[in-house]
Amino acid sequence: MVHSAYDAVELVTGVPGRIEAVASHAGKLLVAASDSEGFLRGSDCSLRIYCAPSSADGDEIRRDGPYTLERQEARFWRRPPLAMEVSASRDLLLSLSEWVALHRLPGLETVAAVSSKTKGANAIAWDDRRGLLAVGRQKRLTIFRLDSGREFVEVKEFGIPDLVKSMAWCGDNICLGIRREYLIINSMTGAQTEVFSSGRIAPPLVVHLPTGELLLGKIRSLRAPNALVQTVVLRDVQKLVQTDNCILAALSNSVYGLLPVPIGAQIVQLTASGEFEEALALCKLLPPEDSNLRAAKESSIHIRYGHFLFDSGSYEEAMEQFSDSHVDITYVLSLYPSIVLPQTHIIGEHDKLQDMPELARESSDVTDEMESYSLQLHESDDKSPLEIKKMSHNALTALVKYLQKKRSGIIERATAEVTEEVVSGAVHHSLILSDSYKSKKPNKKRAQTHTSSIAREMATVLDTSLLQALILTRQSSGATELLKGLNFCDLKICEEFLKERNEYLVLLELYRSNGMHREALQLLNQLVEESKSEIGNTDFNKKFNPQMIIEYLRPLCRSDPMLVLESSLYVLERNPSETIELFLSENVPADLVNSYLKQHAPNLQSTYLELMLSMSETGINPNLQNELVQLYLSEVLDWYKILKEEGNWTEKTYSPTRKKLISTLESNSGYNTDLLLKRLPQDSLFEERAILYGKINQHLRALSLYVHKLQMPERAVAYCDRVYEEGGQQPSKSNIYFNLLQIYLNPRKAQKEFEQKIIPVASQLPGNQKVSSAAKVRMGRTGKKVVEIEGADDVRFSPSGTDSGRSDGDGDDVSDGGPIMLNEALELLSQRWDRINGAQALRLLPRDTKLQVKEDLYKRRQAAVKIDGDSMCSLCHKRIANSAFAIYPNGQTLVHFVCFRESQQIKAVRGGNSVKRR
């Protein structure tokens, strides 16, 4: 840290005798010198006063020309003074000879003497501001206060290790030169602190500087590690004295002035010698009025220091210096040739940054430093590849931290700039509309004011560079997080950079942040497809799978459903359940999905509708149900034609799709029955036709198909059971079994009815409408009881409880020709006798039926009921007593006959209303 802090200028020379002490007052030098004779005798000492050249004026010591003797006071002291100081504010001369004496300046009249307490002292130090005098005598340090300008009062006294050779005030502390070292003692508490040694030869010399600092005999810095500042070669220096603008060094017969070198020159010296910390510390001492110069010099030093640290491999510390220099980031990025920068107006045009103080050059000095160092970058030819790689990684890591530190402020300004433009544009548009409205004429376009985009361009440079640095230092996750937030990354540069390095996850986030979802999805599809071939690369397979496509599509379902559909075909084929769940959970319109698949991926349409039907809690709308059934039917018809041409078709042949078709027809009713019936062939697919007939309540036709075409009487019985159990409000629900009996026992009539022209009758009956559960509930409790007693109105009861016999004309409607299915009819009667109107059934039985069969039926129809005093009516819940009553077909439930008849009337009215509503 060696540099010239002071210039040594000879002020007085050829002093006769020996110089004992020196001081200055009003620009003049006061020199205490022993006469040559007196010096030999050891007594008598004169005071010599020297002045500057006549052309000089002012109270400061000047460096131009030697001083001349103006006045001499012979024998001013009886003994040579050990110390001499001047109180400029009080115009007093303090001297220590035999004791401490005060003289008035400039006349030198005696003011006071402290003979008793200072006799024998060997050093003094004067604090002019507070009027305090420190006196070193033997191993004691005494502090006096000048009271009323004429008398000294003792304040403190402390013990010290040895005799004081020199000392000076520094705030509340006093720096002592004792033995061959320097010691600082606190004047309030007496606490002592060692500083450093003064050397083995020279005595310790201490001088207080106007800045509040101390000048010691080595002229070292008091800041650790007390580095050497300057060495001034002056032999036999006896005294060092501080004046307003210099240090006086008294030799044997001459006086030198140590005049401070201008701080600016010292800063240049320190910077050139690489003492950057000291140079920056000196910048703080520049006058406040030179703030621009100070800022320029500090910036220049920080830049030089940053380059020094960068070249030394201390990259993070270098970035701190560049940050403190307020140089714009483009200059720092010029140190990194591997970073590709976007083309902007700010690069190379530093003079346009004056509106941004933290990015501007404060003076041409800074620019000069940058130009000089730009020629010295990356001289690493002698380094090994491993060293270069390590250096590059560490340097880039430091760059990442530097850019992240700078980022918040630059992004904030860029965002504010964008907001300002948006607001300005809105106001401008509003003014145009207002002017147009007032004039009622088209308004001419206003001149567009150019808004500077410096902040955005700087943000683009920063984010683009930061992303590259993150990738180059293997911080891909950090790059992804950067892109997830607000960023100004240059799309083209970052896209090419990421593609070259196969950073696909980061590239996907780049596309997403720029709204390039189509490109992102195309890349995802490609990566997922390639992952199949990467059999051994498990990491690659884990990164890219169809689920990633689904998750990418999820936030787009509401904003861009068409893009979602276009991009979902791949995953719909491979992950249908997850993709359909995505459509359902994100409420993508089902009609839109179905329409798109129908046009672009018909092979996936049925898959979508199937999964949607199974996964949706509310089912799917009738249009989509009909769409699904039509798809099934088309596939079944194609399959049927092939089998028929091959001669392999039978009604009991089922393909997976035909099973789906039948299951869907049975479990749903939202499809168009009429349209489906028209598409069915006349000579086949009877099971499907039977289900459709059942949906439109064409029970006779459905049962005829089950019995005669399909030869599946058990399915016919099951069909009857289902209609009976589901038709709670239909007055003729028991007639379904009668229809089946009619088909069993009168096949020709049934066949004749069936073979009539088959036309859909969906328009005649509500086949496309479900009977709402609400309608069933509205019947109430009474309605339910009435429904359960249907079929009982043809039964007459007598007190004995026996049937009155079968009706006349029994069996008259039965055809004479054609085979009948008597066994099936009898089995039906035996199993479902309680659901069949006995009188009607008996009329269907053929004449040659065995008498015991009919009698058995009659017996099953008879009901023996015991009525006592506790028997209750199931409708009005009153006692039966002696009233007329009726019994339900189950043989257990009793009702008043009046209640039964009223319930029948209510049922008839409601039944009529129901028919009208249909």
Side-chain angles (χ1 to χ4, degrees):
M1 196 183 68
V2 177
H3 77 283
S4 298
Y6 290 89
D7 288 334
V9 179
E10 190 175 32
L11 301 177
V12 176
T13 185
V15 177
R18 174 187 176 87
I19 296 177
E20 304 292 345
V22 65
S24 71
H25 177 259
K28 298 179 180 181
L29 295 179
L30 308 180
V31 178
S34 300
D35 295 335
S36 57
E37 296 180 359
F39 171 72
L40 295 174
R41 297 194 304 269
S43 61
D44 294 335
C45 187
S46 63
L47 174 64
R48 303 169 68 91
I49 301 176
Y50 292 84
C51 64
S54 59
S55 60
D57 56 0
D59 295 338
E60 294 184 349
I61 302 299
R62 301 177 61 86
R63 63 173 69 214
D64 52 340
Y67 278 60
T68 59
L69 180 65
E70 178 187 77
R71 176 183 175 188
Q72 179 176 355
E73 292 290 331
R75 298 180 180 179
F76 191 75
W77 296 279
R78 289 193 303 174
R79 291 185 179 181
L82 299 176
M84 186 170 61
E85 292 199 26
V86 170
S87 172
S89 63
R90 297 170 175 81
D91 291 328
L92 294 176
L93 173 64
L94 291 87
S95 61
L96 173 61
S97 178
E98 297 177 273
W99 49 76
V100 175
L102 272 70
H103 295 83
R104 182 77 62 189
L105 290 174
L108 299 176
E109 301 88 359
T110 301
V111 176
V114 190
S115 58
S116 60
K117 296 183 179 180
T118 63
K119 188 174 183 178
N122 55 302
I124 62 172
W126 170 252
D127 184 347
D128 194 42
R129 180 178 63 86
R130 295 180 292 179
L132 296 178
L133 177 67
V135 179
R137 186 176 64 166
Q138 297 178 355
K139 294 185 179 181
R140 308 294 296 177
L141 177 65
T142 308
I143 300 175
F144 298 91
R145 184 181 71 250
L146 181 60
D147 191 9
S148 302
R150 302 188 64 86
E151 183 181 359
F152 282 101
V153 178
E154 183 178 343
V155 178
K156 296 275 187 181
E157 188 175 64
F158 304 104
I160 53 178
D162 208 337
L163 294 176
V164 178
K165 295 184 178 181
S166 62
M167 61 179 169
W169 283 91
C170 185
D172 290 335
N173 299 313
I174 304 173
C175 184
L176 307 177
I178 59 175
R179 299 195 191 107
R180 299 200 177 275
E181 61 186 13
Y182 295 101
L183 180 73
I184 291 179
I185 184 170
N186 187 282
S187 64
M188 307 297 293
T189 63
Q192 301 178 13
T193 305
E194 292 185 0
V195 182
F196 51 74
S197 172
S198 64
R200 292 179 295 177
I201 300 176
L205 301 175
V206 183
V207 177
H208 178 260
L209 299 179
T211 60
E213 297 178 311
L214 295 175
L215 181 65
L216 307 183
K218 280 192 173 182
I219 313 179
R220 289 181 179 267
S221 170
L222 288 181
R223 296 191 302 118
N226 310 122
L228 179 64
V229 174
Q230 179 183 2
T231 299
V232 179
V233 181
L234 294 174
R235 290 185 176 274
D236 195 24
V237 176
Q238 303 298 315
K239 301 288 184 181
L240 287 177
V241 178
Q242 172 249 330
T243 68
D244 290 339
N245 68 318
C246 76
I247 303 297
L248 299 178
L251 279 65
S252 295
N253 58 359
S254 62
V255 178
Y256 279 80
L258 300 181
L259 293 138
V261 175
I263 292 179
Q266 294 188 51
I267 292 172
V268 172
Q269 293 179 36
L270 289 169
T271 304
S273 61
E275 300 296 338
F276 304 106
E277 295 288 350
E278 295 299 326
L280 290 170
L282 281 183
C283 286
K284 307 300 182 185
L285 302 180
L286 287 171
E289 57 270 17
D290 294 336
S291 58
N292 290 338
L293 176 62
R294 171 180 170 179
K297 287 192 173 293
E298 286 181 338
S299 182
S300 175
I301 296 169
H302 282 301
I303 290 174
R304 283 179 174 265
Y305 197 10
H307 278 288
F308 173 80
L309 293 170
F310 193 90
D311 294 340
S312 303
S314 301
Y315 303 110
E316 292 192 16
E317 293 81 357
M319 292 302 119
E320 291 178 1
Q321 295 302 320
F322 289 133
S323 179
D324 292 339
S325 73
H326 302 305
V327 68
D328 65 65
I329 62 174
T330 57
Y331 175 70
V332 177
L333 291 170
S334 68
L335 301 174
Y336 296 86
S338 59
I339 301 295
V340 182
L341 302 183
Q343 294 295 326
T344 64
H345 295 89
I346 57 174
I347 298 179
E349 298 183 13
H350 307 294
D351 54 334
K352 295 185 178 180
L353 299 177
Q354 297 301 324
D355 293 335
M356 303 175 69
E358 68 281 1
L359 301 176
R361 311 296 191 273
E362 295 291 346
S363 74
S364 60
D365 292 345
V366 184
T367 305
D368 294 341
E369 298 302 332
M370 292 189 288
E371 291 177 355
S372 64
Y373 272 101
S374 63
L375 301 176
Q376 306 175 17
L377 302 178
H378 307 287
E379 297 178 356
S380 57
D381 296 339
D382 57 338
K383 297 182 181 296
S384 67
L386 181 60
E387 290 176 331
I388 295 174
K389 183 177 181 181
K390 181 179 179 181
M391 178 187 70
S392 176
H393 182 273
N394 294 341
L396 287 167
T397 301
L399 177 63
V400 168
K401 296 180 179 179
Y402 166 76
L403 293 176
Q404 289 174 337
K405 180 180 178 180
K406 287 284 187 179
R407 188 172 188 272
S408 59
I410 294 178
I411 295 300
E412 182 179 352
R413 286 188 293 274
T415 305
E417 186 178 276
V418 173
T419 304
E420 181 182 354
E421 287 191 4
V422 171
V423 173
S424 177
V427 172
H428 174 68
H429 181 68
S430 175
L431 290 175
I432 291 177
L433 293 179
S434 176
D435 291 348
S436 300
Y437 176 77
K438 292 178 181 178
S439 62
K440 298 184 179 180
K441 294 180 181 180
N443 194 7
K444 295 182 180 180
K445 291 185 177 179
R446 295 174 180 263
Q448 293 289 335
T449 57
H450 173 69
T451 303
S452 172
S453 60
I454 290 178
R456 275 178 295 170
E457 290 186 351
M458 188 63 72
T460 301
V461 171
L462 188 148
D463 279 352
T464 304
S465 305
L466 179 57
L467 183 137
Q468 296 176 69
L470 287 168
I471 295 299
L472 292 173
T473 53
R474 300 180 181 178
Q475 301 182 60
S476 299
S477 59
T480 303
E481 290 301 316
L482 170 67
L483 292 170
K484 285 183 178 180
L486 174 66
N487 69 88
F488 291 81
C489 290
D490 184 276
L491 175 61
K492 183 178 180 181
I493 293 176
C494 294
E495 181 182 24
E496 293 178 358
F497 178 84
L498 294 172
K499 284 182 177 179
E500 290 175 358
R501 288 158 180 78
N502 298 329
E503 290 287 344
Y504 297 119
L505 287 175
V506 184
L507 180 58
L508 286 171
E509 197 59 46
L510 175 68
Y511 286 148
R512 190 202 306 265
S513 66
N514 285 275
M516 300 172 62
H517 304 300
R518 193 177 303 277
E519 290 78 1
L521 289 165
Q522 289 175 354
L523 176 62
L524 256 181
N525 285 332
Q526 174 187 342
L527 294 172
V528 173
E529 191 65 29
E530 290 177 358
S531 66
K532 296 181 179 179
S533 60
E534 298 284 343
I535 299 177
N537 193 343
T538 56
D539 293 336
F540 191 88
N541 295 336
K542 289 180 180 178
K543 284 184 179 179
F544 305 107
N545 52 69
Q547 189 63 32
M548 287 188 64
I549 302 178
I550 295 175
E551 293 305 318
Y552 191 100
L553 292 173
R554 190 174 300 279
L556 300 177
C557 289
R558 299 178 185 273
S559 60
D560 196 348
M562 283 306 301
L563 176 61
V564 172
L565 293 176
E566 293 172 10
S567 307
S568 63
L569 297 181
Y570 182 90
V571 288
L572 192 59
E573 291 178 350
R574 292 159 179 78
N575 297 68
S577 298
E578 291 85 348
T579 309
I580 302 304
E581 188 277 332
L582 169 69
F583 294 154
L584 293 176
S585 62
E586 301 300 330
N587 297 321
V588 180
D591 291 334
L592 181 63
V593 177
N594 180 65
S595 176
Y596 182 84
L597 295 178
K598 185 176 183 179
Q599 182 177 359
H600 296 90
N603 59 316
L604 299 176
Q605 188 182 7
S606 60
T607 303
Y608 166 70
L609 293 174
E610 288 172 356
L611 288 172
M612 186 176 182
L613 184 63
S614 63
M615 297 169 64
S616 176
E617 297 180 357
T618 59
I620 59 178
N621 64 53
N623 292 335
L624 296 181
Q625 286 190 32
N626 189 66
E627 191 84 24
L628 179 60
V629 173
Q630 293 290 348
L631 287 172
Y632 286 157
L633 181 56
S634 297
E635 187 175 340
V636 169
L637 289 175
D638 294 340
W639 167 74
Y640 156 73
K641 291 177 182 178
I642 295 174
L643 292 184
K644 185 176 182 180
E645 292 175 358
E646 296 175 351
N648 296 326
W649 169 255
T650 64
E651 285 293 332
K652 295 186 179 180
T653 301
Y654 296 94
S655 67
T657 305
R658 189 185 183 197
K659 292 179 180 179
K660 292 179 183 179
L661 174 62
I662 293 173
S663 175
T664 305
L665 291 175
E666 289 178 338
S667 58
N668 297 281
S669 59
Y671 43 81
N672 189 323
T673 307
D674 190 23
L675 182 61
L676 293 173
L677 284 171
K678 289 180 179 180
R679 294 188 62 192
L680 289 175
Q682 298 291 334
D683 57 349
S684 57
L685 299 178
F686 297 121
E687 186 171 357
E688 289 83 344
R689 185 178 291 275
I691 296 173
L692 293 173
Y693 280 148
K695 293 295 182 179
I696 59 175
N697 294 333
Q698 295 297 302
H699 305 309
L700 183 59
R701 294 184 177 183
L703 291 172
S704 296
L705 289 172
Y706 282 125
V707 174
H708 294 301
K709 296 296 184 180
L710 297 173
Q711 298 180 357
M712 301 169 67
E714 70 282 357
R715 295 286 299 274
V717 175
Y719 179 91
C720 294
D721 293 340
R722 185 173 66 253
V723 172
Y724 183 88
E725 293 167 359
E726 294 177 355
Q729 295 184 13
Q730 298 181 9
S732 57
K733 68 173 186 178
S734 61
N735 290 343
I736 187 67
Y737 295 101
F738 180 79
N739 291 338
L740 181 56
L741 279 175
Q742 188 178 24
I743 292 171
Y744 285 158
L745 299 177
N746 198 348
R748 178 173 296 180
K749 181 178 180 181
Q751 182 69 15
K752 183 177 180 181
E753 290 183 5
F754 177 78
E755 289 178 353
Q756 292 176 352
K757 183 178 181 181
I758 302 175
I759 58 173
V761 292
S763 59
Q764 302 174 11
L765 292 174
N768 289 351
Q769 301 176 0
K770 294 182 179 179
V771 178
S772 67
S773 59
K776 295 181 181 180
V777 174
R778 282 198 301 267
M779 294 301 295
R781 181 173 181 179
T782 304
K784 184 175 179 182
K785 294 298 182 179
V786 173
V787 168
E788 290 178 353
I789 204 171
E790 286 183 14
D793 47 353
D794 291 333
V795 182
R796 295 180 176 85
F797 294 89
S798 64
S800 62
T802 60
D803 198 336
S804 62
R806 65 174 182 168
S807 302
D808 296 337
D810 183 15
D812 291 343
D813 294 336
V814 179
S815 172
D816 292 333
I820 65 174
M821 303 174 68
L822 182 59
N823 291 335
E824 287 79 0
L826 293 177
E827 184 177 358
L828 177 64
L829 289 170
S830 64
Q831 294 179 353
R832 303 292 189 272
W833 62 269
D834 56 337
R835 299 182 177 184
I836 301 174
N837 188 310
Q840 294 178 353
L842 289 175
R843 287 198 298 269
L844 287 177
L845 290 175
R847 294 187 178 90
D848 56 352
T849 302
K850 294 181 180 180
L851 182 58
Q852 61 268 28
V853 176
K854 292 185 178 182
E855 291 177 353
D856 183 61
L857 177 61
Y858 292 146
K859 290 179 181 180
R860 289 181 180 271
R861 298 293 298 182
Q862 290 177 352
V865 180
K866 179 180 180 181
I867 299 175
D868 54 22
D870 295 329
S871 299
M872 305 291 289
C873 174
S874 298
L875 293 178
C876 69
H877 304 290
K878 296 181 180 180
R879 297 181 185 277
I880 297 294
N882 296 324
S883 303
F885 64 90
I887 186 172
Y888 280 80
N890 59 16
Q892 297 179 355
T893 305
L894 295 172
V895 295
H896 288 114
F897 184 75
V898 175
C899 295
F900 168 69
R901 184 170 57 189
E902 290 177 352
S903 66
Q904 292 295 306
Q905 292 173 352
I906 294 172
K907 179 181 69 173
V909 172
R910 291 181 175 174
N913 293 338
S914 176
V915 173
K916 290 178 182 180
R917 284 195 296 270
R918 295 192 185 115

